[in-house]
Amino acid sequence: MVQKAKILLVDDRPENLLALEAILSALDQTLVRASSGEEALKALLTDDFAVILLDVQMPGMDGFETAAHIKRRERTRDIPIIFLTAINHGPHHTFRGYAAGAVDYISKPFDPWVLRAKVSVFVELYMKNCKLREQAALLRLQLEGGGEAGHGKESAGLLAELSARLAAVEEQAEALSKQLDDDSADAAAVATAAHLERKLTGLRRALDALEPGTGAAPTLPAQS
């Protein structure tokens, strides 16, 4: 059974949370509500999330302050944040969102299809990352418990499979980056692509560290 990814929805208005759930329900993932920045931070203490959709204008702790707290925590600093705002205050306001650690910044009303597509990218990356981490951990155990020829062959085969899967994702990311260059995409799309590339680079380094004879203990990247 494939475990579902969790998506954190943060907005002080119940009707907005209901709308987000309606839009994202087609992804068939676990949607978690938070009606304030404080409630979001509490949820992040115990659960792992693939992506956070964070409203900017909230009473008390607003989206920028909430994001700052998220980025200060080691457990949560790498979780992608998509800011949602009902008011467009211009480039300075958008820049503040990226400075707070957002990978994207969307003004309401937004295109439901576009939002769903953006979220699905991070969900897919999260799921692939989790799968690779699980397989890498299994491979590490096999290598450490090693010695037998049969285990060596099995480990080598699993390592090759992991490398091939990661290579396929790397190829897709490279194609996406080229497309963004060709289309002169906006800053949000470029930031999203750059985030994906950083995560893939970390996965590749961790996988390379598992190669026999490297002598290095692999450090797996964060889950986002």
Side-chain angles (χ1 to χ4, degrees), residues 166-188:
L166 182 55
V169 180
E170 289 171 331
E171 184 177 350
Q172 293 173 1
E174 183 179 358
L176 175 61
S177 296
K178 290 181 179 179
Q179 181 180 352
L180 291 177
D181 291 338
D182 294 341
D183 295 343
S184 299
D186 59 21

Side-chain angles (χ1 to χ4, degrees), residues 16-62:
N16 290 343
L17 291 172
L18 187 63
L20 287 174
E21 289 176 337
I23 292 170
L24 300 176
S25 60
L27 298 179
D28 193 27
Q29 305 300 323
T30 301
L31 305 178
V32 179
R33 282 189 176 199
S35 58
S36 67
E38 293 85 356
E39 190 175 334
L41 294 176
K42 184 177 180 180
L44 288 163
L45 287 174
T46 54
D47 291 326
D48 294 326
F49 291 90
V51 61
I52 301 170
L53 273 64
L54 181 57
D55 184 41
V56 173
Q57 289 86 24
M58 293 188 296
M61 184 184 297
D62 66 12

Side-chain angles (χ1 to χ4, degrees), residues 48-224:
D48 294 326
F49 291 90
V51 61
I52 301 170
L53 273 64
L54 181 57
D55 184 41
V56 173
Q57 289 86 24
M58 293 188 296
M61 184 184 297
D62 66 12
F64 295 130
E65 188 179 353
T66 303
H69 282 288
I70 293 172
K71 293 303 177 181
R72 280 198 292 265
R73 293 178 180 178
E74 183 176 357
R75 174 187 173 92
T76 59
R77 63 187 179 191
D78 290 323
I79 302 177
I81 297 175
I82 298 177
F83 272 134
L84 304 175
T85 178
I87 304 174
N88 187 356
H89 293 287
H92 176 74
H93 196 68
T94 302
F95 175 79
R96 186 182 175 191
Y98 289 124
V103 297
D104 212 336
Y105 195 99
I106 303 177
S107 297
K108 305 174 185 176
F110 43 76
D111 186 325
W113 187 92
V114 171
L115 179 63
R116 189 162 51 241
K118 289 176 180 289
V119 171
S120 68
V121 170
F122 290 107
V123 169
E124 183 179 1
L125 180 64
Y126 174 84
M127 300 298 283
K128 288 181 181 294
N129 200 343
C130 288
K131 186 63 175 179
L132 287 170
R133 285 169 62 87
E134 291 174 1
Q135 293 178 329
L138 175 60
L139 178 58
R140 182 193 296 129
L141 289 175
Q142 292 176 338
L143 292 174
E144 290 174 350
E148 298 181 12
H151 283 171
K153 291 180 179 179
E154 184 178 353
S155 298
L158 181 56
L159 184 60
E161 180 182 353
L162 284 171
S163 182
R165 291 186 181 185
L166 182 55
V169 180
E170 289 171 331
E171 184 177 350
Q172 293 173 1
E174 183 179 358
L176 175 61
S177 296
K178 290 181 179 179
Q179 181 180 352
L180 291 177
D181 291 338
D182 294 341
D183 295 343
S184 299
D186 59 21
V190 173
T192 301
H195 181 85
L196 296 177
E197 289 178 355
R198 286 196 299 272
K199 294 305 173 186
L200 290 173
T201 298
L203 286 171
R204 174 56 68 185
R205 288 174 179 170
L207 194 58
D208 289 344
L210 291 170
E211 289 283 356
T214 60
T219 300
L220 293 175
Q223 47 94 26
S224 65

